[in-house]
Amino acid sequence: MLELAILGFLYDAPLHGYELRKRIAALTGHVRPVAESTLYPAIKRLEKAGLLARTTEPGAVAAPRHVLTLTEEGRTELLRRLAEPAQRDITDENRWFTVLAFLRHLPDPAAQAAVLRRRLAFLQEPASFFYDGDRPLAAEELDDPFRQGILTIARATSRAELTWLRATLDSLGG
């Protein structure tokens, strides 16, 4: 998820590490804060793989600043990851939001629609946070108001997302 966010934000424009960290935190920070000890090793891995380039600019007041730029290989890798997201990128809501944040970069509406159809199929599977054996339980079947709350909120969120997915798929022709 972090690497996808790095590639996605750099797809549009070169960024300083600090600005990149702020953008990633705005996208994912409320659920997964981005520590420097996590971000900078990921940047180094991507740089070592030839997906990022780093240049140094003189600092206005402070030390020189490093600017990160996506290479052509990085652009290709981002598009590959968007077109073929891992299953956990489809099923995990936080990872899904990261994919969704950059899906517009895929130039082919059919490829975008294929990714959205995978998410739609996942959301249409019967599921719950709570089960009676193998049978998913609905909020109305629970006595615990807190578990009812979880399921009620999840149902409303899923319905909103299903509505959005269907409308977007229609607009993409797929």
Side-chain angles (χ1 to χ4, degrees):
M1 180 190 79
L2 178 59
E3 289 184 1
L4 181 64
I6 292 168
L7 295 172
F9 281 119
L10 292 177
Y11 189 89
D12 287 328
L15 295 169
H16 300 282
Y18 176 74
E19 181 64 28
L20 179 61
R21 184 171 174 227
K22 282 184 1 185
R23 291 182 187 198
I24 292 170
L27 179 64
T28 65
H30 64 286
V31 288
R32 293 189 178 130
V34 181
E36 287 184 24
S37 61
T38 305
L39 177 62
Y40 291 103
I43 289 171
K44 286 184 182 192
R45 280 192 308 275
L46 293 170
E47 188 177 16
K48 186 176 179 181
L51 305 178
L52 302 180
R54 182 189 314 240
T55 56
T56 304
E57 290 182 352
V61 177
R65 296 169 58 165
H66 299 283
V67 178
L68 303 168
T69 306
L70 207 56
T71 64
E72 279 306 310
E73 294 84 3
R75 293 174 95 69
T76 300
E77 178 63 13
L78 172 67
L79 296 177
R80 185 196 66 75
R81 289 183 187 200
L82 291 171
E84 304 166 7
Q87 186 61 19
R88 70 179 182 270
D89 295 337
I90 298 294
T91 60
D92 179 277
E93 185 173 88
N94 299 316
R95 296 179 76 92
W96 170 244
F97 281 171
T98 303
V99 170
L100 207 52
F102 304 109
L103 197 56
R104 67 187 175 90
H105 293 312
L106 274 182
D108 180 15
Q112 293 170 338
V115 174
L116 296 181
R117 279 193 301 276
R118 286 182 59 198
R119 178 67 176 185
L120 180 65
F122 165 71
L123 289 177
Q124 290 175 326
E125 294 175 13
S128 179
F129 293 105
F130 311 106
Y131 288 81
D132 180 10
D134 288 338
R135 187 178 66 81
L137 294 173
E140 300 77 20
E141 297 177 272
L142 298 171
D143 294 329
D144 180 341
F146 306 106
R147 288 186 172 194
Q148 285 176 342
I150 291 171
L151 294 177
T152 300
I153 293 165
R155 181 187 305 149
T157 302
S158 291
R159 284 181 182 160
E161 186 174 355
L162 285 165
T163 299
W164 176 84
L165 280 166
R166 290 178 182 122
T168 304
L169 283 166
D170 285 346
S171 74
L172 292 172

